[in-house]
Amino acid sequence: QDQLVESGGGLVQAGGSLRVSCAPSGRTFSGRTFSSYGMGWFRQAPGKEREFVAAITWNGGSTKYADSLKGRFTISRDNTKNTVYLQMNSLQPEDTAVYYCAATRRVGAPTSLNEYPYWGQGTQVTVSS
């Protein structure tokens, strides 16, 4: 079964950096190539709702970020490697969450969870103070 697989989570001290990655488990995803999909990153902290982090269009030409994360997080993709990345800098304890990648056929890098029908299992990011 096609699925998205996140990797790169872990434990980091406050002020540190981490890069998480996401790739489909197969050469195609839901019958289409990876480059057919816009991709998003979301996160969910304990006791909180899942929230938008960043999104990128199918060709990387446009990106969007949660306002509170602009300047610290960067989303990118390499379609030759079928991978989307989230570079996280100046991490703070409040960034601790499970980070999920998601795929959509919607254009324009949507920011709503409801626009993404395909989700990975998530990777834990823990920032210690």
Side-chain angles (χ1 to χ4, degrees):
Q1 183 176 357
D2 294 339
Q3 56 182 328
L4 296 170
V5 181
E6 299 96 338
S7 61
L11 176 64
V12 63
Q13 289 188 332
S17 298
L18 203 62
R19 188 178 77 165
V20 292
S21 304
C22 170
S25 57
R27 292 177 60 86
T28 61
F29 183 74
S30 194
R32 300 180 184 273
T33 59
F34 174 76
S35 60
S36 300
Y37 294 90
M39 300 296 295
W41 284 100
F42 296 79
R43 68 184 184 182
Q44 188 165 17
K48 295 187 177 181
E49 294 186 350
R50 195 170 299 189
E51 64 176 1
F52 170 72
V53 173
I56 189 167
T57 52
W58 67 274
N59 63 351
S62 180
T63 58
K64 293 179 183 176
Y65 296 92
D67 287 343
S68 62
L69 300 177
K70 284 181 181 177
R72 292 198 300 125
F73 287 19
T74 303
I75 189 172
S76 62
R77 68 189 298 162
D78 184 343
N79 286 343
T80 66
K81 297 181 179 179
N82 283 358
T83 303
V84 61
Y85 305 97
L86 182 68
Q87 177 68 42
M88 302 179 287
N89 298 328
S90 301
L91 284 162
Q92 299 302 316
E94 53 264 36
D95 294 316
T96 294
V98 178
Y99 284 73
Y100 298 89
C101 73
T104 182
R105 290 278 293 160
R106 298 279 193 175
V107 299
T111 62
S112 170
L113 281 72
N114 295 332
E115 304 283 6
Y116 291 84
Y118 308 106
W119 291 82
Q121 294 299 307
T123 185
Q124 177 70 47
V125 171
T126 303
V127 184
S128 63
S129 57

